[in-house]
Amino acid sequence: MERQVLQRCEMGDAVHPLYLTVLMSSLLSNLRWTDEEVVECLNCPNTEQLYHYLIQDILGRHSRTAPHVRKALQLILVSQNGVPESALFDLVPELTWNTWAPVCQELQDRYILTVKCGLLNYAYKQARIAVQLLFSPDEELVLSRDELTEYYMKAVRSNNATCHICDELPGLLQSSENLPLLREFASNVDVFRILYTRGRYADILNCWQTVGLDRLSVSKEYFEIIKQMEEAAALNDTPCPEVANLFEMVGKFSKDLGLLNQRALEVREAIDPDDPNVGRCFYLLGSLHIQWGKVASAESYFKQALYIWEMCEASCQQWVTKALDSLAILYKRQGKYDMVESLTKKSATLKKEVASQEASSQSQRGQGNLKRRIQVLQEQCQKLEGVPLAEALADLGVLFLWQQDLESAKEHLTQGITIIERLCSVRTPKLLRPLGTLATVYETAKDLEQAEGVYLRMLDICKKIPERDSPIANMAARNLGSLYKKQGKFEKAEMLYKDSIRRKEACLGTEHPNVATDLLNLAILFCQQGNHAQALPLFERALSVYENCYGPRHPRVAEILRNLAVLHYERGNEQRAAELYKRANEMKEMMSISGGSRLASRRSSVTSVSVSRPLSEK
């Protein structure tokens, strides 16, 4: 038998991947098949015939539920995109979950059915063809299609239309050529709302064209339907904002926008003349009249919209800017430039206010998120012990630092550091992260002496860690150097940079960009002290490293060229300064022409300085 299976799989017509997948899955899952059944399965010449055999086999083994399963397969076959299981249970009452679940699972295992987005459908075209062969002739399928159509139409009549129903019914109704039902379906306002909001304009028009209406007649049809809804609401003496929304929706859909938007305006004004939606109707009418060339009426509509939105104050500021911009465009066409200028300035001021309010709102939301994160961490700290507790305290210190609550940040970081020192040691690398945050807290609080002590302790701990694996050591050295410069301790900063250069050269080599970064920091330090002679070779060496590593047109190279230009200018070599500055500007222009994007460069504490602001502080 194994030889027969292999021979079948090697035949030219049977090497289709789907055929092999379905065949192997069936043979492995049906180990109780007799030799005759296996041979019969192997004799299926193509995938469609194989599917046909498997479906008959499954129905034969589930003989008690076979009629109900056949009905379910028919309903899935006549659908366009599949059928939800709830619809199957409603349409086939004899089908229960206990009887359907094992059969459905087996059909999925044999790659006959699949479930997508909650809908049961055939997994492949070949499976659909096999089911069509099973139910030929089509009398049963026609009956199933009519039952599914009536089931969906019942949902539409009871105002329970869904996106799936709106997708399914047009195809079912058109295939049955049931034009009265198709007209009833297309006339339903819920169906129109669903299709319109999903951008299915073509489906709406296609339904109406099938029943013999053109686009203009479609607008009139919907207008009459909504008019009847309005009259029914008037009889009950109840306002109906939904009617206005439908008028506006149909107005946007139809070419006959003017009449329908006007009607939406009348309905909304009757409910509340100062409602912002009334202003929106005025604005839409103004936009329409501009397209028609009716400038005077457009101006009147825009002014009425502006008046209503300005009465609403802050809640409609964005709409106010729209009305101001539209009036400015209108006056510009008329040559009223003095009015254009005043409206443009007013619009710009409002836009800044709106942007400021949005930024403030985002900041408030960010502070709210921080407070929630702090609360969660504080609750976690009550359940933690040991090093995890210390790490949670360090995280709290970071969050308090972001909130500018420096005292709380210092308190939690100190607690975490104390725990790590007690459990590990005073020189464990686990201290580096909370120490780095603590140093930032001291710097923010202008306590530079304390920050200096913390950075020195970090560097002492980092001595046991190789330079290659210690980015935090680089950060500590860079920040400490910057701190020394703030304090005016240039000699200490110089020693720190020189020591960092020696360590990096020993570990990374003399031509590494990290070495060039420290060379630049040292060069700028010399320039700030007026020691240009010592700074010049450092700049030139850093320039050489960056050119070798990144190429001669990298933004970092342009920065050094500008710094060198300043240096030569202050030393009196104006010609050389001009050459370097020209080269730097040419590179800047080339980068802007190529898209204005800067190539990726390593972050460093190097300060880019222009000619208008010399490196030395005078």
Side-chain angles (χ1 to χ4, degrees):
M1 186 58 63
E2 181 180 352
R3 185 180 300 173
Q4 291 180 354
V5 173
L6 292 174
Q7 288 176 350
R8 182 59 185 155
C9 292
E10 292 173 356
M11 294 177 63
D13 294 338
V15 293
H16 192 284
L18 180 59
Y19 180 94
L20 295 177
T21 301
V22 176
L23 179 62
M24 291 299 102
S25 173
S26 303
L27 293 176
L28 290 173
S29 60
N30 292 293
L31 298 177
R32 296 182 180 180
W33 271 0
T34 64
D35 290 347
E36 290 77 11
E37 290 174 323
V38 174
V39 171
E40 190 175 354
C41 179
L42 292 173
N43 288 334
C44 295
N46 52 43
T47 311
E48 291 84 354
Q49 291 294 333
L50 179 59
Y51 270 133
H52 187 272
Y53 175 78
L54 293 175
I55 293 171
Q56 287 183 322
D57 177 71
I58 293 171
L59 292 175
R61 285 187 287 104
H62 298 273
S63 56
R64 295 182 60 183
T65 58
H68 314 318
V69 174
R70 285 173 61 90
K71 187 66 176 180
L73 293 175
Q74 292 170 13
L75 292 168
I76 297 171
L77 181 63
V78 299
S79 68
Q80 307 293 314
N81 304 298
V83 178
E85 284 185 323
S86 59
L88 292 182
F89 292 137
D90 289 339
L91 290 166
V92 190
E94 301 83 1
L95 195 66
T96 64
W97 180 250
N98 291 334
T99 58
W100 168 250
V103 181
C104 180
Q105 186 60 51
E106 192 169 353
L107 290 168
Q108 292 182 62
D109 293 341
R110 299 292 81 76
Y111 302 99
I112 297 170
L113 291 183
T114 185
V115 180
K116 293 181 179 178
C117 301
L119 301 176
L120 279 166
N121 205 350
Y122 291 103
Y124 296 98
K125 177 180 66 176
Q126 292 89 336
R128 181 176 286 274
I129 294 172
V131 177
Q132 286 176 338
L133 294 173
L134 189 66
F135 297 119
S136 182
D138 296 339
E139 287 80 3
E140 292 183 74
L141 295 179
V142 171
L143 181 60
S144 297
R145 182 193 63 198
D146 293 342
E147 290 178 359
L148 187 62
T149 301
E150 185 58 33
Y151 176 78
Y152 285 148
M153 282 301 301
K154 185 178 179 181
V156 171
R157 295 186 186 109
S158 58
N159 298 323
N160 291 322
T162 64
C163 294
H164 171 66
I165 291 175
C166 292
D167 290 340
E168 285 287 326
L169 270 176
L172 291 172
L173 292 170
Q174 289 174 1
S175 63
S176 64
E177 298 182 356
N178 193 333
L179 299 185
L181 274 183
L182 183 60
R183 187 184 187 101
E184 181 185 352
F185 166 77
S187 301
N188 188 279
V189 292
D190 288 330
V191 170
F192 170 74
R193 183 188 296 106
I194 291 171
L195 291 175
Y196 176 76
T197 53
R198 295 171 65 204
R200 306 290 289 272
Y201 313 114
D203 289 348
I204 298 173
L205 291 177
N206 188 36
C207 288
W208 285 109
Q209 287 170 359
T210 303
V211 299
L213 292 183
D214 57 13
R215 182 162 185 158
L216 182 59
S217 301
V218 171
S219 300
K220 292 180 180 178
E221 185 79 16
Y222 280 126
F223 182 78
E224 291 299 326
I225 293 168
I226 302 170
K227 185 70 175 176
Q228 293 172 10
M229 292 176 60
E230 182 185 7
E231 291 173 354
L235 289 175
N236 297 326
D237 198 22
T238 56
C240 189
E242 184 64 21
V243 171
N245 293 335
L246 287 170
F247 273 125
E248 186 175 329
M249 192 177 293
V250 176
K252 292 178 180 178
F253 168 75
S254 173
K255 287 182 178 179
D256 195 12
L257 281 171
L259 173 63
L260 298 172
N261 276 331
Q262 182 67 43
R263 188 57 192 153
L265 173 63
E266 293 171 2
V267 173
R268 283 190 168 136
E269 278 191 314
I271 298 172
D272 182 3
D274 295 326
D275 189 272
N277 287 324
V278 175
R280 190 170 65 177
C281 288
F282 278 126
Y283 182 80
L284 290 172
L285 285 169
S287 302
L288 182 67
H289 279 243
I290 279 186
Q291 294 177 8
W292 290 345
K294 299 180 179 179
V295 178
S297 57
E299 180 182 353
S300 174
Y301 283 131
F302 284 142
K303 285 182 176 179
Q304 292 179 75
L306 180 61
Y307 173 77
I308 292 172
W309 287 333
E310 284 181 334
M311 292 287 289
C312 298
E313 297 179 351
S315 61
C316 291
Q317 281 188 330
Q318 289 183 332
W319 286 101
V320 171
T321 59
K322 283 189 175 184
L324 290 171
D325 290 340
S326 298
L327 279 170
I329 293 172
L330 193 66
Y331 288 142
K332 188 174 182 180
R333 290 181 181 179
Q334 296 175 305
K336 301 177 180 179
Y337 296 107
D338 53 338
M339 301 181 71
V340 171
E341 185 177 359
S342 62
L343 289 171
T344 304
K345 287 181 178 179
K346 187 176 180 180
S347 176
T349 303
L350 270 178
K351 287 176 181 177
K352 288 181 180 179
E353 291 179 5
V354 171
S356 175
Q357 290 173 2
E358 289 179 353
S360 176
S361 176
Q362 290 178 357
S363 175
Q364 290 176 0
R365 287 196 297 271
Q367 289 295 327
N369 291 334
L370 276 178
K371 289 179 180 178
R372 285 192 292 272
R373 289 175 64 184
I374 288 172
Q375 185 177 359
V376 170
L377 271 176
Q378 286 174 335
E379 292 174 357
Q380 290 178 355
C381 286
Q382 297 175 4
K383 306 174 184 178
L384 296 175
E385 295 179 354
V387 175
L389 173 59
E391 292 174 349
L393 289 170
D395 291 336
L396 274 172
V398 174
L399 296 178
F400 280 122
L401 173 61
W402 289 349
Q403 278 195 325
Q404 295 299 309
D405 188 351
L406 302 183
E407 289 301 321
S408 297
K410 192 187 307 180
E411 178 185 350
H412 286 83
L413 288 166
T414 305
Q415 291 177 9
I417 291 169
T418 303
I419 293 173
I420 295 174
E421 288 175 340
R422 187 178 69 250
L423 297 176
C424 301
S425 72
V426 294
R427 298 189 65 188
T428 176
K430 293 180 180 179
L431 287 169
L432 291 174
R433 179 169 167 267
L435 285 173
T437 309
L438 183 61
T440 306
V441 170
Y442 283 131
E443 275 201 82
T444 307
K446 307 299 182 183
D447 193 347
L448 303 185
E449 295 295 333
Q450 290 282 3
E452 178 185 352
V454 176
Y455 283 132
L456 288 172
R457 183 179 177 187
M458 290 176 66
L459 290 177
D460 182 60
I461 295 172
C462 289
K463 288 179 180 178
K464 298 189 299 182
I465 305 173
E467 177 67 27
R468 187 185 301 276
D469 301 323
S470 181
I472 197 165
N474 297 335
M475 179 274 294
R478 182 171 63 247
N479 291 348
L480 183 57
S482 175
L483 189 66
Y484 282 147
K485 285 192 287 186
K486 290 179 183 177
Q487 294 174 305
K489 300 178 180 179
F490 296 115
E491 292 182 359
K492 287 188 175 182
E494 181 182 341
M495 291 176 59
L496 186 68
Y497 287 139
K498 287 181 177 179
D499 181 62
S500 178
I501 291 170
R502 282 194 297 269
R503 287 188 291 107
K504 288 183 180 179
E505 285 179 337
C507 183
L508 304 173
T510 58
E511 297 298 316
H512 196 277
N514 284 356
V515 176
T517 298
D518 280 351
L519 290 170
L520 285 176
N521 288 332
L522 183 57
I524 292 174
L525 180 66
F526 284 140
C527 286
Q528 289 175 341
Q529 299 176 77
N531 194 347
H532 297 157
Q534 285 185 285
L536 181 58
L538 295 173
F539 274 125
E540 291 176 343
R541 184 181 164 192
L543 176 63
S544 174
V545 173
Y546 278 134
E547 285 182 330
N548 291 334
C549 293
Y550 299 135
R553 296 187 179 278
H554 193 272
R556 183 68 77 189
V557 174
E559 290 177 6
I560 301 178
L561 288 173
R562 283 194 291 271
N563 288 339
L564 275 172
V566 173
L567 192 59
H568 282 288
Y569 180 81
E570 292 195 347
R571 299 190 70 190
N573 192 348
E574 297 179 358
Q575 183 177 356
R576 178 60 176 162
E579 292 173 358
L580 293 169
Y581 195 68
K582 180 181 178 181
R583 182 183 166 192
N585 279 344
E586 288 174 352
M587 291 175 63
K588 182 179 178 181
E589 291 173 2
M590 288 289 292
M591 284 185 286
S592 62
I593 291 172
S594 63
S597 60
R598 294 170 60 91
L599 297 173
S601 62
R602 296 177 179 269
R603 292 184 177 271
S604 72
S605 59
V606 177
T607 305
S608 175
V609 185
S610 65
V611 169
S612 61
R613 183 182 177 187
L615 282 168
S616 60
E617 296 179 350
K618 295 183 178 180

